[in-house]
């Protein structure tokens, strides 16, 4: 029995997305990989066609669709192995902060643009000395009358160049408690005192404009604080479940795509007079990987269902994030071994997927941090 109930409407949406990606996105991937940036026009085309924030209510410019439409977007983006749009990050990680915690005026001002692709978002937590230990952040936000003055810097921010709106975590320096001093703020691009670095040259996610953000006496209105002062840390924790489901499921989809490529390759490539897929050692390796992918797909679908039903599944999402990203890295490596030198050529799909999947165990909480969370839930 299927765990997730995809209807005809979901299938139609998927078909539209597949043909959109083939026509409007795939031809531009090599250019985006080379320039480390994805054109804004591509974001706008995604929005215009209903592939950003499909879950947003119509009153905010969305379509009021269920979470499975987002899952379809991550899955199809993974099949073309393109990280540039980071649609899962925008639609299902950052925009939910605005939707859940911003005041009504801010929601009406920003959410329609988030759905149309006119507003590209980023979330900025990480600092040079505050990665896993987010509470160590040093960027300050100080209230003066009806203004907030921000000073500091963030690093490794996805969509960092393209972003029009940043959900920024910063601390009130007068509050000594590491967690209680943190709040979340909305900072618009072009606000005086806010500037961006240049795109990082990094391993994998080459089309993604990851960079640093700088704040120097950057003034924003008090109304741009999300929720109450000091509520930032619990807000971040509240949204991590969905972020980790996006990351884990994306890694599982990537593993499946790499394996599908390898299966096709092994059926046609011959060695010692027969197809690679007829060699028992290759068969066993493929079977082992397929088994793992199937098991973790079932796990992912169960978590998506439970998440949609509103259950708290911190332990399970931490397990999924750790296990699925680990599996994806291992499958990338094993597929390369099985396909041999041809798959190591940049003209082949695998090198990019190999690099892209490698960092998934680092962001959205490292896998060591996932294991620490799981250990706590086990009372260890
Ligand atoms: C491609 C990419 C995109 C990113 N996008 C964003 C973004 O959009 N926004 C954003 O805010 N951040 C982003 N990040 C940053 C990312 O979230 C951090 O890299 C991550 O939180 C880990 O922090 P760190 O790299 O500073 O590693 P560190 O925290 O310095 O960790 C280094 C090592 O120590 C281990 N370690 C640390 N603490 C513990 C502990 N308590 N117990 C056991 N082991 C520990 C880690 O597991 C790791 O192996 C991105 C990173 C990458 C690579």
């Amino acid at each position: 029995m299927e765990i997730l109930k995809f209807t005809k409407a979901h299938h139609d949406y998927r078909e539209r997305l597949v043909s959109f990606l083939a026509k409007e996105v795939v031809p531009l991937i090599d250019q985006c990989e080379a320039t480390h940036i994805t054109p804004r026009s591509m974001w706008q085309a995604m929005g215009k066609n209903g592939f950003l924030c499909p879950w947003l209510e119509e009153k905010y410019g969305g379509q009021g669709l269920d979470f499975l439409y987002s899952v379809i977007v991550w899955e199809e983006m993974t099949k073309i192995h393109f990280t540039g749009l980071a649609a899962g990050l925008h639609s299902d990680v950052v925009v939910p902060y605005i939707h859940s915690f911003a005041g009504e005026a801010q929601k009406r001002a920003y959410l329609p643009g988030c759905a149309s692709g006119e507003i590209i978002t980023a979330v900025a937590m990480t600092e040079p000395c505050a990665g896993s230990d987010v509470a160590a952040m040093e960027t300050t936000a100080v209230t003066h009358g009806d203004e907030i003055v921000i000073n500091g810097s963030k690093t490794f921010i996805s969509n960092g160049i393209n972003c029009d709106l940043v959900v920024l975590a910063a601390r009130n320096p007068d509050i000594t408690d590491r967690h209680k001093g943190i709040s979340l703020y909305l900072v618009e691009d072009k606000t005086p005192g806010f500037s961006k670095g240049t795109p990082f040259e990094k391993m994998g996610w080459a089309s993604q404009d990851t960079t640093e953000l700088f704040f120097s006496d950057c003034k924003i209105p008090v109304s741009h604080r999300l929720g109450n002062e000091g509520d930032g840390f619990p807000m971040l924790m509240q949204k991590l479940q969905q972020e980790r489901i996006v990351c884990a499921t994306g890694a599982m989809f990537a593993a499946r795509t790499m394996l599908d490529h390898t299966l096709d390759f092994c059926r046609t490539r011959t060695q010692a007079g027969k197809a690679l897929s007829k060699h028992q050692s290759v068969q066993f390796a493929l079977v082992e990987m397929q088994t793992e992918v199937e098991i973790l797909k079932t796990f992912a679908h169960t978590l998506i269902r439970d998440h949609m039903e509103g259950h708290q599944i911190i332990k399970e999402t931490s397990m999924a994030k750790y296990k699925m990203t680990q599996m994806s890295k291992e499958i990338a490596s094993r597929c390369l071994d099985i396909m041999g030198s041809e798959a190591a050529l940049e003209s082949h799909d695998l090198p990019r997927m190999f690099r892209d999947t490698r960092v998934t165990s680092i962001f959205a909480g490292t896998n060591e941090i996932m294991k620490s969370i799981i250990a706590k839930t086990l009372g260890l």
Side-chain angles (χ1 to χ4, degrees), residues 269-284:
R269 168 101 172 152
T270 53
Q271 274 303 329
K274 55 183 178 181
L276 272 183
S277 59
K278 296 296 175 193
H279 292 269
Q280 195 183 50
S281 65
V282 173
Q283 284 178 355
F284 284 6

Side-chain angles (χ1 to χ4, degrees), residues 266-304:
C266 292
R267 286 191 186 104
T268 51
R269 168 101 172 152
T270 53
Q271 274 303 329
K274 55 183 178 181
L276 272 183
S277 59
K278 296 296 175 193
H279 292 269
Q280 195 183 50
S281 65
V282 173
Q283 284 178 355
F284 284 6
L286 294 172
V287 166
E288 283 165 20
M289 290 191 279
Q290 189 71 43
T291 306
E292 268 203 90
V293 168
E294 287 293 330
I295 290 169
L296 290 183
K297 183 181 131 194
T298 304
F299 188 35
H301 283 194
T302 305
L303 296 187
I304 291 166

Side-chain angles (χ1 to χ4, degrees), residues 4-8 10-11 14 68 71-72 75 301:
L4 298 178
K5 309 279 182 240
F6 288 101
T7 62
K8 178 169 182 318
H10 290 112
H11 290 303
R14 187 189 293 275
L68 290 185
V71 176
I72 290 169
E75 183 169 10
H301 283 194

Side-chain angles (χ1 to χ4, degrees), residues 180-193:
K180 289 185 182 151
I182 295 173
S183 304
L184 301 185
Y185 303 92
L186 293 175
V187 183
E188 289 182 18
D189 188 23
K190 310 273 189 315
T191 305

